[in-house]
Amino acid sequence: MIYLFCALYPEAAPLIKEYRMKRVDFGNGIRMWQKDNELTLVLTGTGQLNAAAVTAAVLSRRKAGSHDFLISYGCCASLNTEKTDGIFLVHKITDLQTGRDYYPDLLYETGFAEASLISENKVYTGAENIGSGELYDMESAAVFHAGSMFFPLHSMFFIRFISDAGQTENLTAETITSLSAEYLPLMKKLIDDLARHEEEKDIILTEEDDRMISKFAEDMGCSTAMKRELHRYIHYAVLTGKDWKKKIEELYESGTLPVTEKEEGKKVLHAFREYAAE
Amino acid sequence: MHSGNMRLNKPFSHVYIEEGIMQHPLCTRILSFFPHAVQIPVTSYKDVFSRKGQRSSVQIKSRNLILAEKKDHFLYSGSVVCHDFDERWFYYCTNVLNCIYDCAYCWLKGMYDSANLVIFVNQEDFLAETAGMLKKHPVYLCLSYENDLVPLENITGFLHSWAEFTVRNPGLTIEIRTKCGNEDIWKALPVSERIIPAFTLSPDPVILEMEKGTASLSQRIRAIRAAAENGFHPRLCLDPVFAVPDWENIYGSMIRNVMCEIDPADIRDISLGTFRLSNDYMKKMRKEYPHSASVQYPYVLHDGYYGYEENKKRKIENTIRKQLEQYVPGEKIYMLENE
Ligand code: SF4
């Protein structure tokens, strides 16, 4: 699942429309849209508190994890005379309140230009001397902080398009939506690429294997520690291409299993280790 | 939607640079080797290197570079699971954290959360600390303890700096351990009995399966010969040895091969030991690398370290020792227990 977090509806509108996402009743006043089991879009509202609370609530209830992705997407102000428009992948987020820097892990080729960003809980007027960042927003640090409790750092993407330089009087919802729509092809490419991406699965033994191992361990009279060991031996047997299920069958067929005494179980475990390690 | 994986960035596509060393000449030199990398200023290298939530097993396929200043702990005392070659003042130092190679069994994978490479550019401070220590006692210094400096020499120049410093300081002996096949470096470094090239030797099947990116056995042999021909007395390290199928023949034929190509009289000494790894590192590596057979092997835990069962370990070490003794005298072979 890809979780897309936007602060405002005008930022999200082109994506909702493009993917024909359906409104979902998540409760707690959180506005959410979804497309199948691929894409969930959430509005966090503006500011650090809203962003952190909504991000954490959604990811926690949805049990998001290491095989999902997070994209934080929206508009920002430019702090830099060289970058006055465009869309950027953020490579460094500085939380001005805490002074803490956050670094997403930039492992994937996304095609976006990159920039650093300063995040603070108040609206930037253009008059403040903020420091050395290039972009400014009010949510990224909070989304990163909450998101990093659920995702590895390379699974989070912070994408910002410049909508202003701090003078927001003339910035309308329509302007934001039209800028977001302008960058839709780039966003669509990232979302579609992530949806297709399959990371190498960490799973070596399936749930069915685990059930089989539990039965095997029980018939071997294994303690918890012995069962852990058995699991490790079988894990290794799988990696080295051994037919461990056949080996277990043989132990049943020969009457070695089930054991009647714990000592016998220890011997069987030892023999199984020899088999796995050979 | 059909499946297809996101393309990874090329290695070293990004360089994180501590703000305090931006103007350091070595920083400028290193950056010139990465003209297309995105440069990201950081306050402290730890903000990137020690972040929670890194997946080193993914990161290692697209790792980045961090340029930093080492602030303290320039020299460390050697660890108990390392050969100290009877040296009383055995130290190691870390000009670089992590290694450009990717050995499946490398303890750095258990030690760090990150696969990114950190280069400490303030070599002058390493030398100053060593000079201070040399005023008190001699120093035996292992340079490539948590890295391999040879493949990085082009961009860092650390080995030339250390070698020249060693020549000027008679109390200092340095060991340069490597799996690199670079021959030229042994022609370029000043020759001294106190500069010890130490080559890790593994049979090709082990190199192919477990030592990704490192030189093949024949390349390593050529590098050893280049070192010997230029006046160095190389150390050979058969450490770690793995109980791969048919290990006896595989290691035996590697030893024959090496000893045919290199005059055993040129060899300074040989270290020998089977694979071992601390409990904590093993736990972390098993979790992060579930597909790695070399860490998932059912090793036994002994005194806080995982390794082969005592019988197997002894058998491997004794067998290989005998094979080596056909070429070099026994007192030149160092094993962990008899040190
Ligand atoms: S060469 Fe040494 S330091 Fe480098 S990855 Fe291999 S074991 Fe680790």
Side-chain angles (χ1 to χ4, degrees):
Chain A
M1 177 70 81
I2 298 166
Y3 292 92
L4 253 160
F5 292 91
C6 300
L8 305 163
Y9 182 78
E11 296 165 334
L15 289 162
I16 293 170
K17 190 171 164 214
E18 173 68 25
Y19 285 98
R20 296 196 185 91
M21 300 177 81
K22 299 218 165 56
R23 185 75 192 259
V24 178
D25 184 12
F26 186 79
N28 307 98
I30 293 174
R31 295 166 76 192
M32 179 185 278
W33 287 259
Q34 189 154 341
K35 183 194 177 239
D36 308 326
N37 279 332
E38 276 174 9
L39 194 56
T40 295
L41 188 147
V42 182
L43 295 189
T44 62
T46 53
Q48 308 270 33
L49 288 175
N50 283 329
V54 172
T55 306
V58 170
L59 298 179
S60 167
R61 189 155 4 132
R62 285 292 190 84
K63 296 191 170 31
S66 59
H67 292 290
D68 301 318
F69 291 102
L70 177 154
I71 302 175
S72 165
Y73 174 64
C75 62
C76 68
S78 163
L79 294 173
N80 184 309
T81 47
E82 282 165 30
K83 289 187 171 118
T84 51
D85 63 3
I87 184 164
F88 299 93
L89 173 70
V90 175
H91 58 217
K92 174 179 180 177
I93 301 164
T94 302
D95 183 340
L96 216 52
Q97 263 150 325
T98 61
R100 189 167 163 189
D101 295 322
Y102 297 97
Y103 300 91
D105 226 351
L106 307 162
L107 304 188
Y108 299 119
E109 228 180 74
T110 59
F112 286 91
E114 293 181 25
S116 61
L117 177 141
I118 290 192
S119 199
E120 206 190 7
N121 205 23
K122 59 184 185 203
V123 177
Y124 172 62
T125 65
E128 305 92 328
N129 186 3
I130 295 274
S132 59
E134 296 171 295
L135 311 176
Y136 181 97
D137 83 352
M138 293 171 62
E139 294 83 25
S140 293
V143 174
F144 190 108
H145 195 86
S148 61
M149 293 173 184
F150 300 86
F151 297 98
L153 300 180
H154 66 278
S155 301
M156 300 197 289
F157 301 82
F158 291 79
I159 314 280
R160 289 290 176 276
F161 58 85
I162 294 174
S163 57
D164 57 273
Q167 299 81 21
T168 50
E169 311 82 59
N170 300 326
L171 190 63
T172 63
E174 290 74 34
T175 315
I176 292 174
T177 300
S178 100
L179 278 169
S180 178
E182 194 181 310
Y183 298 120
L184 188 63
L186 282 169
M187 283 305 292
K188 197 167 152 21
K189 181 169 183 321
L190 174 66
I191 292 167
D192 294 349
D193 284 350
L194 288 175
R196 280 194 290 266
H197 182 78
E198 281 180 5
E199 267 195 25
E200 188 178 30
K201 298 270 188 299
D202 288 347
I203 298 157
I204 305 290
L205 294 162
T206 62
E207 279 177 22
E208 198 205 322
D209 293 338
D210 278 338
R211 276 193 295 276
M212 205 168 181
I213 295 169
S214 291
K215 168 86 173 65
F216 182 31
E218 199 182 311
D219 290 345
M220 213 192 275
C222 284
S223 63
T224 313
M226 283 165 73
K227 187 177 169 191
R228 227 183 0 252
E229 284 301 297
L230 176 65
H231 204 274
R232 181 167 313 294
Y233 304 159
I234 293 178
H235 181 135
Y236 183 72
V238 172
L239 290 182
T240 47
K242 296 194 177 75
D243 191 350
W244 61 277
K245 290 180 187 166
K246 189 164 166 239
K247 178 76 184 168
I248 292 178
E249 267 169 36
E250 284 167 12
L251 289 171
Y252 280 105
E253 278 162 16
S254 65
T256 312
L257 286 178
V259 300
T260 47
E261 285 177 36
K262 204 165 178 163
E263 280 311 306
E264 275 177 55
K266 283 187 182 160
K267 280 185 199 149
V268 179
L269 182 65
H270 183 75
F272 199 84
R273 184 193 173 281
E274 300 286 289
Y275 155 78
E278 80 195 3
Chain B
M1 286 181 184
H2 53 87
S3 87
N5 277 354
M6 292 276 290
R7 284 238 304 259
L8 289 164
N9 277 319
K10 292 202 176 72
F12 308 119
S13 60
H14 292 75
V15 185
Y16 297 87
I17 312 156
E18 274 188 1
E19 280 150 3
I21 52 110
M22 293 264 187
Q23 306 305 326
H24 193 286
L26 185 53
C27 179
T28 315
R29 169 181 161 152
I30 295 172
L31 288 174
S32 71
F33 285 86
F34 302 95
H36 303 297
V38 179
Q39 297 180 12
I40 305 172
V42 300
T43 313
S44 161
Y45 80 93
K46 290 178 189 162
D47 294 347
V48 181
F49 189 67
S50 310
R51 287 169 298 171
K52 279 205 187 96
Q54 297 176 85
R55 289 291 312 273
S56 67
S57 57
V58 186
Q59 220 176 39
I60 207 159
K61 298 173 198 156
S62 166
R63 62 181 129 195
N64 287 319
L65 181 61
I66 304 169
L67 301 179
E69 178 188 9
K70 184 126 172 101
K71 301 259 169 33
D72 46 27
H73 292 107
F74 295 96
L75 305 187
Y76 298 91
S77 289
S79 138
V80 289
V81 280
C82 273
H83 293 273
D84 62 13
F85 304 97
D86 299 335
E87 297 288 345
R88 176 156 176 229
W89 305 106
F90 181 86
Y91 293 88
Y92 68 94
C93 76
T94 54
N95 287 104
V96 174
L97 304 182
N98 271 332
C99 179
I100 65 156
Y101 297 138
D102 178 11
C103 300
Y105 56 79
C106 179
W107 61 308
L108 298 173
K109 290 182 165 133
M111 190 160 161
Y112 298 127
D113 289 330
S114 179
N116 290 332
L117 201 71
V118 181
I119 300 182
F120 294 114
V121 296
N122 52 324
Q123 166 70 349
E124 58 281 1
D125 294 328
F126 283 86
L127 298 183
E129 170 115 349
T130 312
M133 201 172 270
L134 283 167
K135 286 191 184 134
K136 295 181 213 150
H137 52 69
V139 172
Y140 180 94
L141 187 59
C142 228
L143 297 182
S144 296
Y145 193 79
E146 293 187 6
N147 49 58
D148 191 328
L149 292 182
V150 178
L152 297 173
E153 181 60 6
N154 224 5
I155 66 164
T156 66
F158 286 147
L159 292 176
H160 276 81
S161 162
W162 277 115
E164 280 150 22
F165 182 78
T166 304
V167 171
R168 289 198 304 273
N169 287 276
L172 179 63
T173 302
I174 56 169
E175 186 205 81
I176 305 166
R177 177 122 179 211
T178 188
K179 289 183 182 134
C180 181
N182 183 339
E183 297 167 49
D184 293 339
I185 190 161
W186 308 113
K187 298 171 192 160
L189 289 181
V191 177
S192 162
E193 264 307 303
R194 292 179 292 106
I195 298 174
I196 308 172
F199 294 90
T200 307
L201 288 179
S202 301
D204 274 325
V206 172
I207 295 174
L208 281 174
E209 200 191 315
M210 302 184 204
E211 298 178 351
K212 199 164 154 197
T214 65
S216 66
L217 178 61
S218 57
Q219 284 167 329
R220 292 186 207 183
I221 292 173
R222 281 201 293 276
I224 299 170
R225 212 168 43 208
E229 281 168 6
N230 283 283
F232 291 100
H233 286 109
R235 165 170 292 151
L236 306 187
C237 307
L238 278 79
D239 175 19
V241 170
F242 284 92
V244 289
D246 201 23
W247 60 266
E248 196 168 338
N249 283 324
I250 286 180
Y251 278 91
S253 101
M254 176 186 82
I255 290 166
R256 276 194 301 283
N257 191 354
V258 171
M259 297 303 173
C260 276
E261 300 282 339
I262 292 153
D263 182 352
D266 285 338
I267 295 168
R268 180 187 183 101
D269 52 33
I270 299 175
S271 72
L272 171 63
T274 52
F275 174 69
R276 61 212 171 273
L277 190 70
S278 85
N279 186 6
D280 289 346
Y281 293 167
M282 183 63 98
K283 256 193 216 151
K284 191 164 170 181
M285 286 164 71
R286 281 182 167 166
K287 189 161 171 255
E288 186 64 26
Y289 296 88
H291 295 272
S292 168
S294 45
V295 294
Q296 300 298 341
Y297 179 91
Y299 300 104
V300 292
L301 188 60
H302 185 67
D303 286 345
Y305 288 87
Y306 275 102
Y308 293 113
E309 321 79 285
E310 201 50 34
N311 290 346
K312 189 167 193 164
K313 177 175 161 320
R314 291 222 169 280
K315 184 171 177 210
I316 296 171
E317 289 177 351
N318 290 338
T319 308
I320 295 183
R321 189 185 172 96
K322 275 194 199 117
Q323 291 171 342
L324 288 168
E325 280 173 348
Q326 291 174 22
Y327 305 94
V328 291
E331 62 272 17
K332 275 195 175 184
I333 303 170
Y334 286 82
M335 290 160 84
L336 198 62
E337 289 91 323
N338 49 21
E339 280 174 16

